[in-house]
Amino acid sequence: MDPPPRRLAAPLLLLLLAAASPAARAWKKDEFRNCNQTPFCKRARTRAPHSLEAPLSLAAGSLAVSPDGSISAELSHPSRPRPLVLRLSVLPPHALRLQIDEDYSTATPPHRRFQVPDVLLPDLEARTLHLPEPKTAAGVSTVALSSDLDVVVKHDPFELTLRRAGSGDPVLSFNSHGLFDFEPMRESKPENETWEEHFRSHTDKRPRGPQSITFDLSFYGADFVYGLPEHGSTSLALRPTRGPGVEESEPYRLFNLDVFEYLHESPFGLYGSIPFMIGHGSRSSSGFFWLNAAEMQIDVLAPGWDGATAQDNGRIDTLWMAEAGVVDAFFFVGSEPKDVIKQYISVSGTPSMPQQFAIAYHQCRWNYRDEADVDSVDAGFDEHDIPYDVLWLDIEHTDGKRYFTWDHSAFPNPEEMQRKIADKGRKMVTIVDPHIKRDSSFHLHQEATDKGYYVKDANGNDYDGWCWPGSSSYPDMLNPEIREWWADKFSYENYKGSTPTLYIWNDMNEPSVFNGPEVTMPRDAMHYGDVEHRELHNAYGYYFHMATADGLLKRDKGKHRPFVLSRAFFAGSQRYGAVWTGDNSADWDHLKSSIPMVLILGLTGLPFSGADVGGFFGNPEPDLLVRWYQVGAFYPFFRGHAHHDTKRREPWLFGERRTAIIREAIHMRYSLLPYFYTLFREASVNGIPVMRPLWLEFPEDKETYNNGEAFMVGPSLLAQGIYEEGQKSVSVYLPGKESWYDLRNGSPYKGSVTHKLQVLEDSIPSFQRAGTIVPRKDRFRRSSTQMVNDPYTLVIALNSSGAAEGELYMDDGKSYDYQQGAFSHRRFVFADNKLTSFNIAPDNLSKKFTSGCVIERIIVLGLRSGVKKAIIEPGNQEVEIESGPISLRSGSSPVVPTIRRPNVRIADSWTIWIA
């Protein structure tokens, strides 16, 4: 039983919730630790290259091939109580894994270092290749990873380099500047040392002492490095954080935090952490991933940081620092950047394939007040001819912030409310956060208490922190048994009032604790398996996301794909759903920074992401809101959301003209859903993101390397937002040698040229790449579900050779039947004046997918003038080529060559000849 409430409980609750208000919780620099206030970071940054008195060295005679095909060795150091064990292994095609931990066979400390479980794919060891015997000479060992890559290990001091086998050119190196340090776990605290750390009013007891790891890592042949979400930035590439010419001297911090109104330009950590970095240049693409869930700080070092007067051309040095954990690192090398992403995904898992409704438009607010408000908003979309698919409910829908419940005065009939929404093909989402209200009358809290399922404080008691419900405790999601228990709570029996069309939103899962240090859980809190919170902090939200997604799978008996949005994330989160960029603000800078933030999430394995359209905090001026919808229509995750203190901002509240422009942006997204869904299928197979930086498609074009304002959607579309108020013109760089066609009117623009364009009110610059074919559905319905049987439009953009190609993926949009073959995958190729549809799905699959949808229009951009007829085979049917509108929106002029009503089935094989 909970203790009786104290007289000060209510005032304390009011003070803490007031501190959580937007005005109080706006980002304040002094509320979060910087590197100088973080001892492990401060220690690591003070070391000069090659300055360690006795660097770690590899025992020459210990390098040997193990029975499992890996190579093991011993790393020694005079001051260490025990040596370190090193293990090298390789995954196909040539990803190198480096593991370093303490050798527990010689002396066992009271606690072992934490190795993050359930993130790497379970078949990883089974896929490990057998390495050949190393060749050793003059203190250097060389191992062939593949026909074109070697790993070279220098023994004393220890250093590791991946190099090209033929040329000997280095690609990645570990400890080439001698900064590798691995603080040993100690059995007890020496009398002359203080292990406690203090920040503001909080004390971290650090009962296990310092245990940090530091190393330098160099990328060769790289012009820029990218990755390390999540932080606010208008730069696509990671800027140098230390060295000559660097004014802002803070490392990039990876530490999941609940940050209200975060800065749009800052290296400080936000809601999620992925310790994955990509280096890219015209000569090389490489990547590095460190599986470690403790706090990290990473420096990108400017040339000359080490005092050297000259630096290798195209080399970028970085310094990686972590508070705890082990070295479990992966080195990836590719012929192009997509190869690097695919290798990372082969380790951390492919993104889940979403249901089709999830990639359409979502409408959210903190909070829609009651069922009448829900009905009114739903009807407003229909009245103004604006489609949407999902309506969201924030924390106020619950009974006193008790999750899995409903406020019965505001939502007395939740199932009927959901049914009325579902009748139009729409869905709903409710929020479920990890903090559980400490209330003895709340069955969920009582059950978690009785079973001992909460995270413990440093004294072994259930951890008690403050969040939206007041006094709260947090399930220990590291424990698989507790994750299974949590998943069961989403059954229809346990979650009363839920229906098959209700999906879930995980917020505050960093985890956020209003009265905790840096608004999070204390580092010396304890988890399952005698693990300190400091060791797994960045993965807590990942495990919570995993358990919630598993709950929806169990709820529907594995038939339907779950949809769960999470704010916190870690490597592997892509397997469980979508993420968003958190509590942004309604200003132009946040609109601009949303592009590199979403692009970086895609590069690091999270293709299903977006930013809150309009900004969560503040009231966007109408022109900003319009511009945000125009950009947001290209986000992989497209949701409008707002704080409860803001004015209502449903799309029709800003005058008829702006309503029409927002409607057009949302209609464009719906017309492109077949193309987006095809891109999500590609992402679910190989991890290539839906929304991409230009250099991912044009890896040799240096003009694209740090362009964070324009972006690609798949290989075919390019867009650039308008990021300034009152902007009259905009410069847009269109890469490649081929032309680009304006999505609005089909006008061609040359490639490899920066075009200065007039800014238009009703659209942002957006183009289709010559040589591509984009599938669309141009009939507008209330929701994507109602578009299922609608006909298709193909937009063919011919290149200078008169050729183009594209793909279309189709399945039932909701189930897992596609995994048994119930899908259609078509490739469309236009060449030699004919358009051909090919099946590219395997033939030997157990299930089949059929579609009766036909093609109602084929638009051919770049077709020579004077062409009037086309012939469809089979059938030898002749059809006219006419001038038609590029879209079916009202007022569109007939400006592009169009084959109307060819009426060939989208899933069949056929050929259309241009006569």
Side-chain angles (χ1 to χ4, degrees):
M1 295 291 291
D2 290 335
R6 296 170 296 175
R7 294 181 64 185
L8 291 178
L12 179 58
L13 173 59
L14 290 173
L15 284 170
L16 285 164
L17 293 182
S21 71
R25 293 190 60 198
W27 197 88
K28 295 183 177 67
K29 191 173 183 177
D30 61 355
E31 291 183 354
F32 300 95
R33 301 204 305 183
N34 60 34
C35 181
N36 281 334
Q37 296 167 318
T38 308
F40 79 87
C41 182
K42 185 176 181 179
R43 288 195 302 273
R45 266 189 150 197
T46 59
R47 301 185 189 110
H50 307 290
S51 64
L52 294 173
E53 292 182 6
L56 285 160
S57 60
L58 185 147
S62 67
L63 201 68
V65 178
S66 303
D68 64 1
S70 65
I71 288 178
S72 60
E74 182 182 284
L75 286 172
S76 59
H77 188 287
S79 67
R80 294 193 60 86
R82 67 192 71 83
L84 299 175
V85 175
L86 174 148
R87 181 177 183 259
L88 292 174
S89 54
V90 64
L91 297 163
H94 41 235
L96 176 69
R97 184 180 188 183
L98 169 66
Q99 295 168 277
I100 302 175
D101 196 0
E102 303 199 42
D103 185 355
Y104 301 111
S105 64
T106 56
T108 304
H111 308 283
R112 292 196 173 205
R113 289 176 174 266
F114 178 62
Q115 300 185 30
V116 186
D118 304 318
V119 169
L120 302 178
L121 292 179
D123 68 341
L124 209 63
E125 290 295 334
R127 287 190 279 127
T128 299
L129 303 177
H130 201 285
L131 284 168
E133 287 286 344
K135 297 177 181 179
T136 302
V140 176
S141 297
T142 304
V143 182
L145 295 186
S146 65
S147 59
D148 57 355
L149 272 182
D150 293 335
V151 58
V152 179
V153 181
K154 183 181 177 183
H155 295 192
D156 190 10
F158 167 66
E159 181 182 341
L160 183 149
T161 303
L162 265 73
R163 70 180 188 188
R164 307 279 181 192
S167 64
D169 292 338
V171 183
L172 290 161
S173 67
F174 179 97
N175 199 37
S176 58
H177 290 85
L179 290 171
F180 178 36
D181 189 41
F182 200 110
E183 293 182 322
M185 297 280 284
R186 285 178 280 183
E187 296 186 12
S188 60
K189 182 177 73 67
E191 291 184 4
N192 61 344
E193 288 189 20
T194 300
W195 285 358
E196 285 188 353
E197 292 180 4
H198 304 276
F199 179 69
R200 293 167 71 88
S201 63
H202 300 278
T203 298
D204 175 7
K205 295 180 180 179
R206 285 213 312 164
R208 301 177 185 182
Q211 49 186 295
S212 70
I213 302 171
T214 305
F215 54 79
D216 59 271
L217 185 84
S218 296
F219 294 80
Y220 296 81
D223 293 339
F224 293 98
V225 288
Y226 312 85
L228 304 183
E230 184 177 41
H231 56 274
S233 180
T234 56
S235 172
L236 180 60
L238 293 167
R239 295 188 174 106
T241 58
R242 203 173 128 208
V246 177
E247 296 181 5
E248 178 68 37
S249 189
E250 280 296 316
Y252 291 101
R253 188 184 190 194
L254 295 185
F255 191 65
N256 293 7
L257 291 169
D258 174 9
V259 185
F260 267 40
E261 297 184 272
Y262 57 82
L263 298 180
H264 73 278
E265 196 76 71
S266 173
F268 285 96
L270 295 178
Y271 312 96
S273 300
I274 300 182
F276 176 41
M277 184 181 286
I278 296 174
H280 178 66
S282 58
R283 297 183 292 117
S284 180
S285 294
S286 57
F288 178 78
F289 167 50
W290 184 7
L291 177 59
N292 190 327
E295 178 183 357
M296 283 192 198
Q297 304 263 5
I298 299 102
D299 270 320
V300 176
L301 303 165
W305 69 276
D306 55 355
T309 56
Q311 182 164 310
D312 293 349
N313 184 36
R315 191 190 84 213
I316 296 179
D317 299 327
T318 60
L319 180 67
W320 296 66
M321 305 161 273
E323 184 181 14
V326 298
V327 174
D328 192 356
F330 295 81
F331 301 75
F332 308 117
V333 179
S335 58
E336 62 172 7
K338 288 182 181 178
D339 294 336
V340 174
I341 294 171
K342 290 175 184 177
Q343 290 181 60
Y344 169 71
I345 290 299
S346 75
V347 167
S348 61
T350 54
S352 59
M353 182 67 185
Q355 290 197 44
Q356 179 140 336
F357 81 82
I359 67 172
Y361 178 63
H362 301 244
Q363 182 66 32
C364 185
R365 180 176 178 82
W366 179 19
N367 203 84
Y368 288 120
R369 298 182 299 270
D370 50 31
E371 291 178 3
D373 199 7
V374 168
D375 288 344
S376 175
V377 172
D378 180 64
F381 277 90
D382 295 339
E383 179 184 345
H384 294 90
D385 190 28
I386 300 174
Y388 88 99
D389 268 63
V390 192
L391 193 66
W392 294 53
L393 296 178
D394 211 315
I395 55 177
E396 310 303 334
H397 83 277
T398 62
D399 176 13
K401 314 299 188 301
R402 298 170 181 86
Y403 299 109
F404 304 101
T405 69
W406 301 86
D407 178 343
H408 289 296
S409 62
F411 299 94
N413 302 296
E415 293 179 61
E416 176 64 15
M417 173 183 65
Q418 293 164 63
R419 186 194 62 75
K420 289 194 291 185
I421 295 285
D423 285 345
K424 300 176 184 178
R426 293 166 176 160
K427 313 293 190 291
M428 294 194 73
V429 165
T430 53
I431 196 167
V432 177
D433 293 348
H435 45 262
I436 297 178
K437 184 179 179 69
R438 291 185 61 83
D439 176 353
S440 58
S441 67
F442 182 28
H443 68 279
L444 190 64
H445 165 64
Q446 197 59 50
E447 185 178 348
T449 301
D450 293 344
K451 291 178 177 289
Y453 279 175
Y454 284 137
V455 175
K456 309 302 179 186
D457 63 21
N459 298 316
N461 303 312
D462 287 350
Y463 175 70
D464 184 348
W466 289 80
C467 208
W468 297 125
S471 179
S472 306
S473 289
Y474 297 73
D476 185 358
M477 290 297 173
L478 180 62
N479 188 337
E481 177 185 318
I482 298 174
R483 294 201 298 267
E484 188 79 9
W485 168 80
W486 183 258
D488 288 337
K489 300 308 167 191
F490 293 92
S491 70
Y492 302 120
E493 179 183 1
N494 287 326
Y495 191 176
K496 305 294 186 183
S498 64
T499 72
T501 58
L502 185 70
Y503 296 87
I504 301 299
W505 172 18
N506 289 161
D507 197 5
M508 314 295 284
N509 53 335
E510 293 75 28
S512 176
V513 182
F514 293 161
N515 63 334
E518 300 188 275
V519 201
T520 192
M521 189 173 284
R523 297 166 192 247
D524 53 8
M526 295 302 299
H527 291 263
Y528 168 74
D530 195 35
V531 176
E532 282 193 298
H533 186 71
R534 80 182 74 251
E535 300 174 278
L536 66 81
H537 172 79
N538 286 343
Y540 181 87
Y542 163 80
Y543 293 122
F544 189 72
H545 194 187
M546 175 198 297
T548 302
D550 286 346
L552 294 190
L553 270 175
K554 291 178 72 173
R555 178 190 79 174
D556 295 326
K557 298 179 171 51
K559 293 179 181 178
H560 293 154
R561 307 168 216 166
F563 172 75
V564 181
L565 179 75
S566 174
R567 189 170 70 177
F569 56 82
F570 189 64
S573 288
Q574 66 269 13
R575 306 204 300 268
Y576 303 106
V579 302
W580 89 106
T581 61
D583 297 344
N584 58 357
S585 297
D587 61 53
W588 291 91
D589 287 334
H590 274 256
L591 168 60
K592 185 176 182 179
S593 69
S594 73
I595 301 303
M597 291 179 75
V598 172
L599 290 174
I600 291 302
L601 288 169
L603 288 173
T604 53
L606 287 167
F608 199 5
S609 69
D612 284 342
V613 170
F616 178 64
F617 285 109
N619 295 303
E621 55 198 86
D623 288 347
L624 171 60
L625 184 64
V626 166
R627 292 304 188 195
W628 214 316
Y629 268 101
Q630 291 170 335
V631 168
F634 291 103
Y635 291 156
F637 175 60
F638 183 23
R639 181 182 76 158
H641 186 34
H643 191 275
H644 65 65
D645 287 340
T646 65
K647 298 175 183 177
R648 295 293 286 254
R649 62 167 86 144
E650 283 73 38
W652 54 86
L653 296 178
F654 298 87
E656 290 185 11
R657 175 60 182 159
R658 293 189 179 97
T659 297
I661 298 173
I662 293 173
R663 179 191 300 116
E664 173 60 22
I666 296 175
H667 275 176
M668 183 203 66
R669 172 54 169 255
Y670 275 74
S671 73
L672 289 171
L673 284 179
Y675 179 64
F676 270 88
Y677 197 65
T678 301
L679 296 175
F680 272 98
R681 167 61 172 177
E682 179 186 14
S684 74
V685 172
N686 58 28
I688 302 303
V690 173
M691 184 170 156
R692 310 170 182 179
L694 272 56
W695 58 261
L696 200 62
E697 292 298 322
F698 299 91
E700 296 181 1
D701 189 339
K702 291 191 175 185
E703 292 294 320
T704 68
Y705 287 0
N706 198 22
N707 187 336
E709 295 187 2
F711 54 91
M712 300 286 295
V713 176
S716 305
L717 302 181
L718 181 151
Q720 181 167 318
I722 302 300
Y723 307 117
E724 296 178 14
E725 183 179 8
Q727 194 170 346
K728 302 299 183 184
S729 65
V730 59
S731 294
V732 180
Y733 178 70
L734 298 177
K737 297 178 181 179
E738 295 289 347
S739 296
W740 296 78
Y741 296 90
D742 192 316
L743 286 189
R744 188 174 52 92
N745 56 28
S747 299
Y749 289 81
K750 289 183 179 180
S752 297
V753 173
T754 298
H755 297 270
K756 187 174 182 178
L757 306 175
Q758 179 185 358
V759 169
L760 302 174
E761 180 187 27
D762 62 354
S763 64
I764 60 173
S766 49
F767 305 87
Q768 182 172 340
R769 181 181 179 181
T772 64
I773 300 175
V774 171
R776 300 192 323 213
K777 283 193 173 186
D778 288 349
R779 297 188 184 181
F780 302 121
R781 310 293 188 185
R782 291 177 171 181
S783 65
S784 67
T785 306
Q786 296 185 346
M787 298 168 62
V788 168
N789 297 317
D790 283 350
Y792 285 83
T793 293
L794 297 182
V795 182
I796 302 172
L798 298 180
N799 62 17
S800 57
S801 301
E805 63 178 59
E807 294 182 11
L808 173 65
Y809 173 83
M810 299 170 287
D811 59 27
D812 65 15
K814 57 186 179 182
S815 78
Y816 286 99
D817 287 353
Y818 72 92
Q819 294 180 343
Q820 285 76 49
F823 66 89
S824 176
H825 198 177
R826 311 298 301 181
R827 176 169 291 139
F828 306 110
V829 176
F830 189 99
D832 301 323
N833 292 320
K834 66 179 180 181
L835 172 64
T836 306
S837 173
F838 297 96
N839 173 45
I840 56 175
D843 292 326
N844 58 343
L845 298 172
S846 59
K847 290 189 176 182
K848 301 294 181 184
F849 172 80
T850 59
S851 172
C853 293
V854 299
I855 297 175
E856 67 173 345
R857 294 196 308 152
I858 299 174
I859 296 170
V860 188
L861 303 175
L863 186 66
R864 66 187 186 278
S865 60
V867 178
K868 299 297 184 184
K869 296 185 183 297
I871 298 171
I872 301 172
E873 295 288 355
N876 196 31
Q877 175 191 355
E878 185 176 287
V879 293
E880 300 291 327
I881 299 179
E882 306 170 357
S883 185
I886 199 166
S887 77
L888 295 182
R889 65 179 180 266
S890 62
S892 296
S893 302
V895 294
V896 291
T898 304
I899 303 172
R900 296 182 65 242
R901 298 190 183 92
N903 291 333
V904 289
R905 286 165 57 101
I906 192 68
D908 288 352
S909 295
W910 40 259
T911 298
I912 298 177
W913 297 80
I914 304 296

